[in-house]
Every structure is written in C-alpha cells, then in structure tokens.
Amino acid sequence: MDSPVAGYSEETRPLGSYALLVVVFNSLLVGFLIALRRSNRELPERIEVGDVLLLGAATHKLSRLVTKNKPTSALRAPFTEYEAPAGRGEVKEKPRGHGLRRAVGELLVCPYCMGLWIATPLTFGLVLAPRTTRFVAAIFATLGLSDIFQVGQRLANESAAPGGES
C-alpha cells in the first residue's frame, strides 16, 4: 500500500517532520489556552490596533534576526549551511540534513515561517505580562525602524555622491 503522501514531490521532503512541528506548535498554543483558563485568567476582549502594529514590527525584526543575522548564525549552524553574505549584517544559508534536522533548518532560514513562531509567544506575553511585552517589543520595533533610517541614509548618500561612503 502506498503512503498517503506518495507522489507529493520528486525531491525528498521531510513531511513527517513538518507534521511534528505543526503538532508541537499547536500543542503549545492549546496548552497556553488551557493553562490560561485554569489560572482563571481570560483572553482580552480585543487586542488594540497599536499593540498589533507594535507586535507586528517586533515580529518582523525578530524573525530577521533569528533567520538572517550574522551573529545568530551560530544558533542556526547545526541545522543550516552557509552560502553567502546577504547584505548588511545578514547571511544566506540553506537547510541541511534530513528529517527533523532539515525541517528545523527550513524554519530557521525562512523569516516568513519563523514569524508565526515569534508572533505567538509575543502575543502570549501581551496577555500575561503586557507591560513587559510592550517594552521588549518596542526595542525590536525601534530597531526595525532604525534599519529603515539606515537604508534611507545609505540611499541618500549614494544619490548625493556616487561612490561615497555610506
């Protein structure tokens, strides 16, 4: 009897490991919700737009730091292989290995994929410790805004004096 996923792809994909990551993520989410209910705490009626924007900006920056930053490559190294520099302060890597190692590697090189894994604990934090979470999120959102200014400054310098320092 063929596997239910037979024929999915000609290349080997770690589908079982992806499924495990999905189970782990959803178990953590459900576990948080159960623990919240048992503690007699409730989810907020709504999350304010300002908090969504703050957490969104922080999630973006944190996902870039986790998946692309040069210093954090030491944390990704067991799951990834260095390919090349990828711009200011970033590297390009590819996942390596098989099974769970590869699936984790794919997660660790994809800022879009990592975003969910970062946004979720930030949102948990907003429920459990809103002041602390807003403080930490503000650090990373501010860093992301600083990156925009750095790029703007570099572009302004390049357009004003081609070949000049940036």
Side-chain angles (χ1 to χ4, degrees):
M1 183 171 159
D2 279 342
S3 162
V5 297
Y8 172 75
S9 175
E10 290 183 19
E11 68 179 80
T12 303
R13 306 295 307 148
L15 297 177
S17 297
Y18 292 159
L20 178 61
L21 290 175
V22 169
V23 167
V24 167
F25 176 86
N26 284 294
S27 296
L28 292 170
L29 178 59
V30 169
F32 170 78
L33 295 172
I34 290 169
L36 188 69
R37 178 162 291 256
R38 287 185 177 165
S39 71
N40 293 323
R41 295 177 80 165
E42 292 188 20
L43 291 171
E45 179 78 23
R46 70 183 58 80
I47 296 179
E48 300 299 326
V49 172
D51 285 330
V52 172
L53 293 173
L54 176 64
L55 295 186
T59 296
H60 169 76
K61 186 58 192 175
L62 273 166
S63 69
R64 298 293 303 183
L65 287 172
V66 169
T67 62
K68 301 289 183 188
N69 192 258
K70 284 179 185 178
T72 57
S73 63
L75 303 174
R76 295 186 303 274
F79 307 97
T80 63
E81 181 181 332
Y82 175 82
E83 290 190 301
R88 289 169 165 67
E90 294 191 346
V91 295
K92 182 177 182 204
E93 298 166 325
K94 63 181 181 182
R96 65 176 164 151
H98 304 284
L100 187 58
R101 183 181 193 190
R102 181 165 193 89
V104 171
E106 289 183 8
L107 180 64
L108 289 174
V109 299
C110 176
Y112 301 97
C113 307
M114 185 55 66
L116 179 63
W117 289 79
I118 290 173
T120 301
L122 282 175
T123 307
F124 289 174
L126 191 63
V127 171
L128 298 175
R131 290 178 69 168
T132 302
T133 301
R134 286 185 187 106
F135 176 78
V136 170
I139 292 169
F140 292 103
T142 302
L143 181 58
L145 185 58
S146 173
D147 288 350
I148 293 169
F149 292 146
Q150 296 290 353
V151 170
Q153 182 68 52
R154 180 176 46 86
L155 293 174
N157 289 350
E158 288 172 359
S159 69
E165 275 188 41
S166 48

